Amino acid sequence: MENNCIFCKIANGEIPAATLYEDKEFRVILDLGPASKGHALILPKKHAENLFELPDETAGKAMILAKKIAGILKEGLKADGVNVVQNNGEAAGQTVMHFHLHLIPRYENDTVQVTWKPGTLTDEEKNEILGLF
Ligand code: AMP
Ligand code: ZN
């Protein structure tokens, strides 16, 4: 547990939260400022700041858990879709520096914005990126 990390405290039960699911490694809670009805957060109990710090095994389990919880939310709330969102770094919109997955149920004609304007890919950029792999 990291000092003064609110999600460490919530995940480990030091601060109460509306818990949808809990096991040895994870707690799934309702987001306090939901983008939509059923917006939930998957929190690993062991602190990792972001995806890059997360152990591979935990990353795998988090996605399996996302599939399970998102399915229950989608069916139970009769949602039309679900966004799985995960922010890394301030520039990417991360505000709590403890890895978490957002599960955001989506409803036809809702006003949630998880979107971007399509840009363009130049040959130079494409070659730069392809050269990384
Ligand atoms: P992010 O911007 O990806 O770091 O997301 C942080 C999320 O945590 C936001 O959607 C907040 O509404 C949510 N949040 C912050 N504090 C709490 C809390 N105490 N309980 C539940 N959700 C929280
Ligand atoms: Zn933490």
Side-chain angles (χ1 to χ4, degrees):
M1 172 129 80
E2 192 94 339
N3 271 346
N4 288 326
C5 173
I6 180 138
F7 280 3
C8 275
K9 290 179 180 158
I10 291 174
N12 292 283
E14 245 185 63
I15 295 179
T19 297
L20 308 182
Y21 172 91
E22 184 184 5
D23 63 23
K24 244 174 63 201
E25 290 175 80
F26 296 95
R27 183 186 295 269
V28 183
I29 64 167
L30 286 181
D31 195 296
L32 262 191
S36 69
K37 183 178 166 191
H39 184 169
L41 301 173
I42 295 182
L43 314 178
K45 291 188 175 179
K46 193 155 181 274
H47 183 85
E49 182 166 324
N50 54 40
L51 182 63
F52 308 107
E53 284 194 359
L54 196 68
D56 286 357
E57 205 189 321
T58 314
K61 287 180 181 168
M63 191 50 88
I64 292 167
L65 190 53
K67 178 180 170 182
K68 174 177 166 152
I69 304 292
I72 295 171
L73 290 168
K74 184 172 183 294
E75 195 174 319
L77 297 175
K78 302 195 181 345
D80 301 303
V82 179
N83 289 115
V84 179
V85 175
Q86 198 275 308
N87 301 324
N88 297 285
E90 252 180 75
Q94 186 178 8
T95 58
V96 180
M97 299 300 161
H98 174 126
F99 173 91
H100 50 281
L101 277 178
H102 293 263
L103 306 178
I104 306 176
R106 299 298 303 274
Y107 306 90
E108 296 290 351
N109 303 318
D110 69 26
T111 55
V112 178
Q113 289 196 20
V114 184
T115 187
W116 55 88
K117 197 163 105 292
T120 50
L121 177 64
T122 65
D123 281 345
E124 198 187 349
E125 284 171 341
K126 185 168 78 182
N127 291 332
E128 179 190 352
I129 299 160
L130 291 175
L132 299 175
F133 296 88

